[in-house]
């Protein structure tokens, strides 16, 4: 979304530049350059405010977990489960070895 807003800002600025050149060459009415400047300023300020606001809100609001986050959580839980099973198997093996030593 930020890339889109930045692209819109750059596009509006570029179009203002082209429109200002067209006004200077007489291809547009004399009042058009002022109108276009005000329009570009308002739109540009709105886009900049949106970018700043999105940056501040992003710090406050966490995004919902996506597929990659869910896969990472699943992998971590499976890894923990595997480690627990390995620890239980080692404990059982150590217990059986202790029992065999006691029998001898």
């Amino acid at each position: 979304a930020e890339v889109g807003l930045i692209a819109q800002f750059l596009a509006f600025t570029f179009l203002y530049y082209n429109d200002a050149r067209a006004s200077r060459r007489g291809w547009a009415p004399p009042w058009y350059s002022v109108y276009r400047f005000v329009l570009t300023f308002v739109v540009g300020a709105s886009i900049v405010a949106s970018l700043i606001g999105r940056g501040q809100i992003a710090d406050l609001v966490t995004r919902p977990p996506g597929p990659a986050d869910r896969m990472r959580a699943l992998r971590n839980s499976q890894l923990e489960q595997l480690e627990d099973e390995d620890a239980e198997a080692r404990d059982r093996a150590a217990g059986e070895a202790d029992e065999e030593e006691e029998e001898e």
Side-chain angles (χ1 to χ4, degrees):
E2 284 82 12
V3 174
L5 288 171
I6 292 169
Q8 284 180 343
F9 178 79
L10 293 174
F12 259 91
T13 305
F14 176 73
L15 289 174
Y16 168 71
Y17 171 73
N18 284 340
D19 286 346
R21 283 182 32 208
S23 287
R24 271 184 275 149
R25 291 181 179 171
W27 296 346
W31 55 266
Y32 184 73
S33 62
V34 174
Y35 169 76
R36 187 68 168 120
F37 175 78
V38 172
L39 177 68
T40 302
F41 180 78
V42 170
V43 170
S46 298
I47 291 173
V48 169
S50 295
L51 286 168
I52 292 170
R54 286 181 62 84
Q56 291 176 351
I57 290 172
D59 294 339
L60 300 175
V61 178
T62 59
R63 62 181 172 84
D69 296 328
R70 290 192 295 268
M71 288 300 294
R72 194 174 301 116
L74 177 63
R75 186 183 66 218
N76 289 339
S77 68
Q78 289 175 340
L79 182 61
E80 288 174 9
Q81 184 180 7
L82 182 63
E83 289 172 351
D84 291 343
E85 290 173 1
D86 285 346
E88 288 175 12
R90 273 183 264 139
D91 290 344
R92 266 189 267 120
E96 290 173 3
D98 289 342
E99 289 177 7
E100 288 178 8
E101 288 179 8
E102 289 177 4
E103 290 178 5
E104 291 176 5

